[in-house]
Amino acid sequence: MSNYVLNTWYPLAWSRDINNSLHKRRIVGKDLVLYRNSAGNVVAHVDMCPHRMLPLSQGKLKGDVLECGYHGMQFDCSGKCVRVPGQDIIPSNAVVATYPTHENMGLVWIWMGDPALADTSKVYDLPQYHDANWSSVEGDALEIGCHYLNLADNLCDPAHVNFVHLTTLGSSAGEDVPVHHEKQEGKLITWRWINDAPAIPLFQKFGNFKGNVDRWHYYHYHAPSIAVIDFGSALTGTGAPEGNRDDCIQIYACHFMTPVDEDTTIDHWLHVKNFKASEETNKALSAEFRSAFQEDKVILEAIHQNERKYPEHRPIKLAIDASPTRMRKMVQGMIEAEKAPAKEAVAA
C-alpha cells in the first residue's frame, strides 16, 4: 500500500449496489467486506478474520453482526469481537480493521488512512449534481486493466479526444490547438477551446446546432483519484469564449477512480447536464459515453500490457504531456508527505 495516497476519500462502490448482505471489494491492494447496517450506514472491514484469516466475506451477516464462516467469531460494526463460541473471554486483540465511509453523489466513499483525519466535509461534491436545473445520470463501474494513474493521464489529456473518440466526443477539428494547464491547491486544470468548428457527434445528436460552434474542454483533476470534465458547445459568435454560456449545451462527465491494485482500476462514471431529458434520451446519452469510455479502456489496457512487457522503456515527452506529468508529481508529493512523519519518527 506504500505506493498509494491513503489520507484521502476514495470512491469505492455505487450506493445502489450495497445492501444488508456481504459484498467484497478491493482497493489500494487491500480486500474489504462491505454491508449496510440496520441504520442504513455502510460498514467496511478488512476481509480477514484475525483468528485463522478466513475472508469474512465467506461468513454470514446476522443483523448488524458479522459472523466468521470458520469458527463463528462475531464482530460488530466497529470491528470489535463480541462473541467467541465456546469461551467467555474475548481476546483484546480480536479486532477487525474498520474504515470510515461516507455517501455522496450516489457513491460510497472510503478513507484508507488515519481515521482521525477522515473529515467528511472533504468528500468531493459537484454542486450541479444537486441543482434542480441540472440532471444527473449514474453510469457504470467500468473495470480497466491498468494502473489508476494511467487512467488519470487520460483524464488530464484533451488531445487524445481528436483521435480516439471520433464517433462520440471528438473530431479532427482542433488537432493542432494547444492544450493549457494550471495547478491549483490539490487540483490541476487542463483545457482548450476549439472555436468556429462543426459540433462533435455527441452534440450533433443532442445539441440541435444549426451551424458551427465554439467548444470547450476543461479537465478538472482532483488528486489523487477524481476527474471531472466540463465540456460543452455554444453557437459561434454568441460569446461563450468570453464567458457567456446562457445558450449552450454543457455536460460534466465525472470519473471517480478506484485504485484496485497495481493492475486494475474501476472507473465509476456519471454525467451531469444542464438540461432535462427523457429516460430514452438519458439512455442514449449514457450509451454514447459507454462507447467512448470503452475506447479508452482498449487503449489503456494495451498500454499497460506494453509497460509490463518493456519495463526498461522510457516514453518520450511531448508538449501535450505537461499536465499528466504535473499530475503524477502531485500524487507523488502527497505520498511522500504522508511518509515523512514516519521517517521523522524513525530518525528520532
Side-chain angles (χ1 to χ4, degrees):
M1 295 174 63
S2 60
N3 291 324
Y4 299 98
V5 178
L6 298 181
N7 289 326
T8 192
W9 288 102
Y10 282 112
L12 181 63
W14 290 111
S15 291
R16 68 195 187 208
D17 292 336
I18 307 301
N19 55 25
N20 61 343
S21 57
L22 299 180
H23 305 269
K24 188 168 183 172
R25 291 292 190 276
R26 184 173 174 82
I27 185 170
V28 298
K30 178 163 285 192
D31 291 321
L32 305 177
V33 58
L34 310 179
Y35 62 91
R36 195 176 293 278
N37 65 17
S38 58
N41 300 317
V42 175
V43 179
H45 300 306
V46 66
D47 193 17
M48 184 182 72
C49 179
H51 177 221
R52 293 289 180 84
M53 301 176 68
L54 180 74
L56 288 169
S57 57
Q58 296 183 25
K60 297 177 182 178
L61 191 60
K62 295 186 172 181
D64 286 347
V65 174
L66 178 51
E67 181 179 273
C68 177
Y70 200 6
H71 295 99
M73 291 179 68
Q74 295 184 345
F75 302 89
D76 66 13
C77 296
S78 72
K80 179 181 177 181
C81 182
V82 294
R83 180 173 184 255
V84 180
Q87 67 181 62
D88 295 327
I89 298 175
I90 297 177
S92 60
N93 60 348
V95 177
V96 176
T98 303
Y99 300 92
T101 64
H102 187 73
E103 293 184 77
N104 191 45
M105 293 185 66
L107 288 160
V108 177
W109 300 77
I110 193 163
W111 185 276
M112 298 300 293
D114 182 351
L117 302 177
D119 181 355
T120 57
S121 70
K122 303 298 184 182
V123 173
Y124 178 80
D125 187 61
L126 180 70
Q128 289 83 353
Y129 177 86
H130 310 280
D131 190 329
N133 295 315
W134 292 66
S135 61
S136 61
V137 178
E138 293 179 359
D140 304 331
L142 177 64
E143 180 175 316
I144 305 176
C146 74
H147 192 281
Y148 83 102
L149 290 181
N150 281 8
L151 175 55
D153 284 338
N154 177 276
L155 296 171
C156 291
D157 174 24
H160 81 276
V161 174
N162 297 97
F163 303 95
V164 179
H165 304 307
L166 291 176
T167 63
T168 52
L169 305 177
S171 68
S172 59
E175 289 181 0
D176 295 318
V177 175
V179 174
H180 307 277
H181 75 281
E182 176 182 282
K183 184 178 182 296
Q184 298 180 359
E185 183 66 30
K187 177 180 176 181
L188 188 65
I189 304 176
T190 312
W191 75 92
R192 71 173 175 177
W193 282 81
I194 300 172
N195 296 326
D196 197 9
I200 59 174
L202 185 77
F203 291 159
Q204 289 176 9
K205 293 180 180 179
F206 299 100
N208 298 316
F209 292 111
K210 304 302 182 184
N212 281 0
V213 300
D214 297 332
R215 171 162 52 99
W216 66 87
H217 288 256
Y218 284 86
Y219 288 53
H220 298 261
Y221 170 76
H222 302 260
S225 66
I226 298 164
V228 177
I229 303 171
D230 167 9
F231 72 109
S233 293
L235 279 173
T236 297
T238 57
E242 293 74 40
N244 179 15
R245 299 188 186 181
D246 292 339
D247 188 11
C248 73
I249 182 171
Q250 184 176 8
I251 297 177
Y252 288 94
C254 302
H255 297 265
F256 301 116
M257 295 172 273
T258 303
V260 176
D261 51 35
E262 295 293 314
D263 300 302
T264 311
T265 303
I266 303 295
D267 182 13
H268 297 88
W269 60 268
L270 60 87
H271 51 90
V272 183
K273 56 191 181 300
N274 68 341
F275 61 93
K276 301 294 184 180
S278 65
E279 182 177 354
E280 181 180 357
T281 297
N282 282 332
K283 286 183 177 179
L285 187 56
S286 291
E288 295 287 328
F289 281 116
R290 191 170 288 115
S291 175
F293 301 153
Q294 181 65 33
E295 291 168 337
D296 287 323
K297 171 183 166 73
V298 170
I299 283 180
L300 291 170
E301 290 183 341
I303 289 172
H304 186 74
Q305 290 170 13
N306 267 347
E307 287 178 338
R308 289 293 186 259
K309 291 177 185 176
Y310 307 105
E312 73 286 351
H313 178 71
R314 294 294 176 264
I316 63 172
K317 296 295 183 182
L318 304 177
I320 58 174
D321 298 320
S323 182
T325 298
R326 201 162 189 179
M327 175 274 294
R328 287 182 177 254
K329 288 181 178 178
M330 286 177 63
V331 175
Q332 188 58 38
M334 296 172 72
I335 294 171
E336 291 174 358
E338 287 186 6
K339 292 179 178 178
K343 290 182 179 178
E344 291 171 2
V346 170

